[in-house]
């Protein structure tokens, strides 16, 4: 069992107070209106919660991997979309800090940690889907600048981000893993964004297509070395799955709390719903799954912080946490009955959000492929 030390417990208590006072009361309305809650994102930055290190541990960061995981979890307990918004922002900030040029670091990092700048991580393409290395986007070295052509799909924060980190291949790429990373500012010539419209859940984390047609970016916007970005991308894919696990734990905790509140409410003849064993056993199952998902997520965060191999475990934890989250949210709706399925009900929003998590950062099916391949191939032939 992972026990938090006192400073981490204090961080959780601080986050809970913030979430309960400023996020929970606004969550339903934010889900109804859609659109990225920029002011809420800025408040998260003002409080220092964006200064965390995950895939690339950095002693200069205010929060370590486990503490960053707690931040995503607790913010997602109030509004899951906020966790989804922050995940790619963390990834891009880390990429620039770890492998960006000095000019890019100086230009972007201070504003990113204050929430003056919002990032999006643009990997997925129509032909690749969950295969992050299925890249058709092309980058051409034009001397004093780069020219990018391609389309990225289902990108979180698209249309609201101030800058995008995209994957592309140079004509000199020789292997499927020969991929480069580039920073593309929102005002780059040749860049356009198409919104994906209203989604089923996570409606405050907008998604869109990022289209580059003869898109021109400065030479210093190459991140890392040309065609050698695979190790960076692999680390960030694992971080993304850790992040989605933390979002799932936050949603699960919110659903559990709602179910307990409903079960404890006196009904006819002052009898509580929790006096029915079917209801109390359901809550026991919800608690058990939430506890297991949280402990697994903290284990993964600790493993990532120590630099241990974690690809299989990242997929396994993401699979378990998100699938359990969906089951927990469904159980909460059952306890509320018809009222829990009303469009404006918190249980309805949580269930819709949980469904989206089984797709984000690698579908459940992709996670099973990663897990099974890793486990089977690790055995002696």
């Amino acid at each position: 069992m992972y026990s938090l030390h006192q400073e981490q417990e204090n961080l959780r208590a601080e986050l809970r107070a913030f979430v309960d006072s400023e996020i929970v009361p606004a969550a339903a309305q934010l889900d109804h209106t859609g659109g990225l809650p920029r002011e809420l994102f800025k408040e998260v930055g003002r409080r220092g919660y964006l200064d965390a290190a995950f895939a690339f541990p950095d002693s200069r960061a205010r929060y370590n991997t486990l503490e960053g995981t707690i931040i995503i979890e607790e913010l997602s307990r109030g509004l899951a979309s906020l966790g989804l918004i922050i995940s790619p922002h963390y990834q891009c900030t880390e990429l620039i800090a770890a492998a960006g040029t000095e000019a890019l670091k100086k230009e972007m990092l201070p504003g990113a940690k204050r929430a003056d700048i919002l990032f999006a991580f643009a990997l997925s393409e129509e032909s690749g889907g969950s295969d992050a290395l299925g890249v058709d986007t092309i980058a051409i070295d034009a001397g004093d600048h780069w020219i990018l052509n391609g389309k990225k799909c289902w990108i979180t924060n698209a249309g609201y981000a101030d800058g995008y980190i995209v994957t592309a291949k140079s004509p000199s790429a020789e292997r499927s893993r020969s991929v480069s990373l580039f920073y593309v500012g929102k005002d780059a010539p040749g860049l356009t964004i198409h919104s994906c419209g209203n989604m089923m859940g996570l409606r405050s984390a907008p998604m869109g297509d990022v289209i580059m047609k003869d898109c021109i970016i400065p030479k210093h916007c190459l991140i890392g070395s040309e065609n050698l970005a695979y190790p960076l991308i692999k680390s960030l894919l694992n971080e993304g799955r850790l992040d989605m696990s933390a979002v799932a734990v936050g949603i699960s905790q919110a659903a559990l709390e709602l179910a307990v509140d409903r079960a404890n409410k006196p009904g006819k003849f002052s009898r509580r719903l929790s006096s029915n064993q079917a209801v109390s056993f359901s809550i026991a199952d919800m608690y058990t799954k939430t506890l297991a998902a949280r402990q697994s997520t903290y284990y993964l965060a600790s493993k990532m912080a120590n630099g241990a191999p974690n690809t299989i475990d990242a997929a396994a934890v993401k699979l378990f946490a998100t699938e359990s989250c969906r089951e927990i949210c469904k159980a909460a709706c059952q306890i509320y009955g018809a009222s829990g399925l009303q469009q404006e009900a918190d249980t309805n929003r949580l269930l819709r959000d949980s469904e989206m998590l089984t797709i984000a950062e690698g579908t459940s099916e992709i996670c099973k492929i990663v897990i099974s391949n890793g486990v089977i191939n690790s055995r002696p032939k």
Side-chain angles (χ1 to χ4, degrees):
M1 297 284 284
Y2 276 82
S3 298
L4 305 181
H5 58 61
Q6 191 57 53
E7 288 184 2
Q8 292 167 338
E9 292 287 4
N10 292 343
L11 172 62
R12 185 190 295 282
E14 176 187 298
L15 281 158
R16 288 211 161 200
F18 167 56
V19 168
D20 288 340
S21 65
E22 298 192 36
I23 298 180
V24 171
Q29 183 60 33
L30 290 170
D31 177 71
H32 175 70
T33 57
L36 190 142
R38 192 77 187 224
E39 286 305 313
L40 193 54
F41 172 73
K42 287 186 175 181
E43 181 60 27
V44 170
R46 281 192 288 267
R47 290 171 178 264
Y49 297 140
L50 296 180
D51 189 5
F54 285 77
F56 310 108
D58 184 350
S59 60
R60 295 167 297 178
R62 182 176 181 181
Y63 298 111
N64 62 28
T65 308
L66 178 55
E67 290 158 356
T69 301
I70 294 169
I71 290 171
I72 293 178
E73 174 193 343
E74 290 299 328
L75 293 176
S76 299
R77 185 179 66 87
L79 182 67
S81 294
L82 194 54
L84 190 64
I85 290 166
I86 289 172
S87 174
H89 183 78
Y90 273 149
Q91 291 173 308
C92 294
T93 302
E94 284 197 88
L95 264 179
I96 293 172
T101 60
E102 290 304 315
L104 202 58
K105 291 178 185 179
K106 184 177 180 180
E107 182 181 358
M108 297 297 166
L109 291 181
K113 293 183 179 182
R114 292 193 306 264
D116 294 334
I117 294 172
L118 173 65
F119 291 135
F121 197 18
L123 275 73
S124 299
E125 299 188 2
E126 286 179 315
S127 60
S130 291
D131 178 10
L133 296 178
V135 177
D136 291 328
T137 299
I138 297 297
I140 297 175
D141 187 343
D144 61 347
H145 62 272
W146 293 92
I147 300 175
L148 275 61
N149 282 282
K151 178 181 179 181
K152 302 294 182 176
C153 304
W154 308 107
I155 305 305
T156 301
N157 299 340
Y160 292 81
D162 299 292
Y164 303 81
I165 289 183
V166 306
T167 51
K169 288 187 174 181
S170 303
S172 59
E174 298 178 354
R175 300 174 300 139
S176 62
R177 294 183 177 184
S178 298
V179 181
S180 303
L181 288 163
F182 299 89
Y183 177 80
V184 181
K186 67 176 182 179
D187 297 322
L191 177 72
T192 58
I193 308 295
H194 288 170
S195 172
C196 291
N198 293 330
M199 303 296 289
M200 174 183 179
L202 299 169
R203 288 168 44 82
S204 296
M207 296 183 185
D209 297 335
V210 178
I211 303 165
M212 294 157 285
K213 186 174 182 180
D214 294 330
C215 180
I216 299 173
I217 60 171
K219 206 61 181 290
H220 72 268
C221 289
L222 172 67
I223 297 174
S225 301
E226 184 179 356
N227 289 330
L228 297 177
Y230 172 71
L232 297 173
I233 295 170
K234 183 177 179 180
S235 295
L236 290 173
L237 288 175
N238 292 337
E239 177 187 335
R241 287 170 181 165
L242 170 64
D243 294 348
M244 293 307 100
S245 301
V247 174
V249 172
I251 294 175
S252 297
Q253 182 66 38
L256 173 61
E257 292 173 6
L258 286 171
V260 171
D261 290 346
R262 177 68 182 90
N264 278 334
K265 186 177 180 181
K268 195 172 184 180
F269 306 116
S270 298
R271 185 183 180 188
R272 299 177 189 276
L273 197 60
S274 57
S275 64
N276 293 286
Q277 195 174 68
V279 173
S280 61
F281 277 16
S282 179
I283 288 174
D285 287 339
M286 294 168 71
Y287 175 83
T288 301
K289 290 174 183 176
T290 302
L291 175 64
R294 178 178 289 115
Q295 288 292 309
S296 298
T297 300
Y298 290 177
Y299 159 77
L300 177 59
S302 176
K303 197 171 184 181
M304 184 176 291
N306 292 327
N310 54 65
T311 297
I312 300 173
D313 287 349
V317 172
K318 195 268 180 183
L319 174 66
F320 177 77
T322 56
E323 291 289 345
S324 295
C325 178
R326 180 164 58 179
E327 294 169 4
I328 290 165
C329 291
K330 184 177 179 181
C333 286
Q334 289 292 118
I335 290 174
Y336 270 81
S339 65
L341 298 176
Q342 290 180 297
Q343 190 68 28
E344 63 273 16
D346 289 331
T347 46
N348 177 294
R349 169 172 52 84
L350 294 175
L351 181 60
R352 288 186 283 107
D353 289 349
S354 71
E355 191 71 37
M356 295 278 288
L357 287 183
T358 64
I359 304 294
E361 293 289 348
T363 64
S364 293
E365 292 74 19
I366 287 292
C367 287
K368 289 179 181 180
I369 291 172
V370 172
I371 298 162
S372 59
N373 285 346
V375 172
I376 292 168
N377 292 334
S378 68
R379 297 290 296 170
K381 298 298 188 289

